Amino acid sequence: MIKDNKGQISLEYLLIFAVSLIILIVFTLPLLQLGLENTMDVSHSLNAKSELSKLSNTISQVYAEGQGSKHTVYLNLDGELNLKISASYISATVKLSDGKNREIKLYHNSNFNSGSLFLEKGDNKIIVEWPVDSEKMIIYKKY
């Protein structure tokens, strides 16, 4: 009778493949997680910048139209933002997944007094207005 060693060779190949696959997973999963966190940080930062750009353009438009002008802008944010508003720019700080902060600053034309505005995650209705017979523009959040 002839002995058949093909079953043992197949089992050895399967064990080598399984060990190789486990080693590959152990090294690639942390890199994958880091890559996903960085991608999400970029996505949140770009979303915030895009939404603040809408607001900045609306502010400039109200300023260009003059007294009596009023515009409403809808912002949809991925996270909470605290806006700092001045006569020449708006800025916000986005918190990244590693605990660091990234500041977004957009310039516009206006005659605002310095102030701040808190925006919640999700939909926000912002009104930019330059009332008749008023020296300064106002900005507020409508609930």
Side-chain angles (χ1 to χ4, degrees):
M1 216 191 248
I2 303 175
K3 278 187 146 184
D4 190 14
N5 289 334
K6 291 181 183 178
Q8 181 179 353
I9 293 173
S10 296
L11 181 63
E12 289 172 355
Y13 281 135
L14 283 175
L15 287 174
I16 290 171
F17 179 73
V19 169
S20 300
L21 193 59
I22 290 171
I23 291 173
L24 181 66
I25 289 172
V26 166
F27 287 113
T28 57
L29 271 181
L31 294 175
L32 178 65
Q33 181 181 0
L34 181 64
L36 285 175
E37 286 176 355
N38 289 339
T39 302
M40 292 305 294
D41 285 345
V42 169
S43 174
H44 292 314
S45 297
L46 287 175
N47 176 278
K49 187 171 183 177
S50 171
E51 296 299 306
L52 291 181
S53 178
K54 288 183 200 176
L55 181 59
S56 179
N57 290 338
T58 302
I59 291 169
S60 293
Q61 185 175 0
V62 169
Y63 181 73
E65 291 175 3
Q67 289 182 343
S69 179
K70 177 180 178 180
H71 286 277
T72 303
V73 63
Y74 296 91
L75 306 178
N76 188 350
L77 298 170
D78 291 339
E80 298 176 341
L81 282 181
N82 192 15
L83 295 179
K84 293 176 183 79
I85 303 167
S86 76
S88 61
Y89 67 88
I90 55 175
S91 68
T93 303
V94 177
K95 190 161 187 99
L96 304 177
S97 62
D98 62 357
K100 295 180 182 176
N101 293 321
R102 172 177 284 161
E103 184 179 12
I104 299 170
K105 193 176 209 180
L106 295 168
Y107 293 91
H108 58 80
N109 295 322
S110 76
N111 62 358
F112 281 122
N113 289 328
S114 295
S116 65
L117 184 67
F118 180 75
L119 302 178
E120 297 172 350
K121 180 179 180 177
D123 293 330
N124 294 276
K125 182 178 180 181
I126 310 298
I127 298 173
V128 181
E129 181 177 8
W130 192 350
V132 177
D133 298 331
S134 176
E135 294 283 325
K136 300 287 184 180
M137 294 169 56
I138 58 173
I139 184 170
Y140 56 94
K141 182 178 175 180
K142 186 87 172 195
Y143 294 97

